[in-house]
Amino acid sequence: MKKGDYRENANFRTLIEADGKDRIQDRLNITGVFLETEEHITLEEMLHLLREKGYDFEPRFVKQCMNRMVDLGFAQKKQFEGQPIRYEHHHLGKHHDHLICTKCGKIVEFADETMEALQVEIAARSGFHMLQHRMEIYGLCSSCLSKRSPLMPLSMGKAGERVLIREIAGGRKKQARLTDVGLRPGDLIEIINNAGRGRIILGRGHTRLAIGRGIAEKIMVSVSDQDADT
Ligand SMILES: [Zn+2]
Ligand SMILES: [Zn+2]
Ligand SMILES: [Zn+2]
């Protein structure tokens, strides 16, 4: 453990002793392992890490301990869209926001003074005194972006992405079905929702369309930089 971690762990001990909890040492071991990681960690990953360090605690106990760390201000609980609950350190007096890759799940932290000040200002314009906020930017990380081919099936598109319909694979029958749902090559569409299964919800102009996954796999699109509103 780093020096700061020892201090945090001693602070945690004082508070849980005051709680009158049993298994103090077990709880401190869990906190110790958590403080050593700098990740945004799920309960599963935490259990795995504990086992690696030779601890074998019941998941319920670990979860309870993590949540107590959240209550006492040592950990923060985060749930990014499409991801399980994660825990990260709660460094007093420090704040950061997150970039989340919707393909591989990578999480990148950032802190930007201009952005922070702007949020306070925006709140104040509406007469709000800002207490806290959450800024999450969803997108594709550089590695996922570079692995992507310029032409991909619509079924691989991510929510929020604007794509251009390029061609329809699979013969005239498929082409006809596409016309039925109201799509043509050259159409600029926005992906509103793509859960990875079931239908995909698209926006074209002011209309929302729901199309089946099967047909979405046959529609080849390219990523567009154009604004779908125009
Ligand atoms: Zn922020
Ligand atoms: Zn990624
Ligand atoms: Zn973070």
Side-chain angles (χ1 to χ4, degrees), residues 95-98 110-112 115-117 119 130 132-136:
H95 168 83
H96 67 264
D97 292 298
H98 298 96
F110 71 92
D112 185 281
M115 173 85 86
E116 295 301 319
Q119 291 175 103
M130 188 173 94
Q132 48 177 315
H133 70 271
R134 192 176 280 188
M135 162 67 73
E136 292 167 6

Side-chain angles (χ1 to χ4, degrees), residues 128-180:
F128 268 66
H129 168 63
M130 188 173 94
L131 296 174
Q132 48 177 315
H133 70 271
R134 192 176 280 188
M135 162 67 73
E136 292 167 6
I137 300 177
Y138 292 86
L140 294 172
C141 72
S142 57
S143 146
C144 287
L145 207 55
S146 70
K147 277 186 226 141
R148 215 171 207 214
S149 76
L151 215 58
M152 63 170 185
L154 178 57
S155 52
M156 304 250 299
K158 296 286 175 190
E161 195 156 50
R162 292 178 170 95
V163 296
L164 193 66
I165 298 189
R166 299 294 287 274
E167 59 191 39
I168 296 102
R172 221 185 303 159
K173 226 170 131 192
K174 283 263 158 49
Q175 309 260 353
R177 265 177 67 198
L178 200 64
T179 318
D180 285 350

Side-chain angles (χ1 to χ4, degrees), residues 15-215:
L15 291 168
I16 54 168
E17 278 175 352
D19 266 353
K21 294 267 193 229
D22 59 347
R23 298 176 70 181
I24 299 281
Q25 193 52 51
D26 287 349
R27 290 171 203 274
L28 289 173
N29 288 338
I30 294 171
T31 319
V33 168
F34 173 68
L35 292 173
E36 269 172 28
T37 133
E38 281 302 330
E39 303 296 318
H40 302 78
I41 197 168
T42 64
L43 183 64
E44 275 312 306
E45 288 162 352
M46 188 64 202
L47 291 169
H48 185 79
L49 209 59
L50 284 163
R51 259 180 255 122
E52 265 182 10
K53 306 260 174 188
Y55 301 113
D56 192 20
F57 299 125
E58 323 82 279
R60 252 190 74 199
F61 178 68
V62 177
K63 189 178 176 186
Q64 192 196 65
C65 191
M66 296 305 290
N67 287 333
R68 196 68 193 127
M69 268 191 268
V70 174
D71 294 342
L72 294 172
F74 292 88
Q76 281 179 296
K77 207 176 192 173
K78 293 274 156 72
Q79 187 162 27
F80 303 117
E81 266 185 62
Q83 295 202 9
I85 289 172
R86 293 179 183 279
Y87 299 90
E88 68 168 326
H89 295 186
H90 183 173
H91 294 297
L92 295 182
K94 282 187 204 155
H95 168 83
H96 67 264
D97 292 298
H98 298 96
L99 286 155
I100 304 108
C101 177
T102 53
K103 187 153 172 57
C104 71
K106 181 176 178 175
I107 299 163
V108 175
E109 297 183 339
F110 71 92
D112 185 281
E113 275 177 42
T114 316
M115 173 85 86
E116 295 301 319
L118 187 59
Q119 291 175 103
V120 172
E121 195 190 310
I122 290 167
R125 272 183 225 151
S126 296
F128 268 66
H129 168 63
M130 188 173 94
L131 296 174
Q132 48 177 315
H133 70 271
R134 192 176 280 188
M135 162 67 73
E136 292 167 6
I137 300 177
Y138 292 86
L140 294 172
C141 72
S142 57
S143 146
C144 287
L145 207 55
S146 70
K147 277 186 226 141
R148 215 171 207 214
S149 76
L151 215 58
M152 63 170 185
L154 178 57
S155 52
M156 304 250 299
K158 296 286 175 190
E161 195 156 50
R162 292 178 170 95
V163 296
L164 193 66
I165 298 189
R166 299 294 287 274
E167 59 191 39
I168 296 102
R172 221 185 303 159
K173 226 170 131 192
K174 283 263 158 49
Q175 309 260 353
R177 265 177 67 198
L178 200 64
T179 318
D180 285 350
V181 294
L183 291 173
R184 283 177 314 269
D187 280 353
L188 184 63
I189 53 173
E190 181 181 350
I191 299 168
I192 296 171
N193 219 329
N194 181 8
R197 62 195 145 71
R199 293 196 299 176
I200 299 176
I201 312 300
L202 307 169
R204 194 198 49 199
H206 297 284
T207 315
R208 292 155 194 83
L209 303 164
I211 66 157
R213 184 144 298 267
I215 192 152

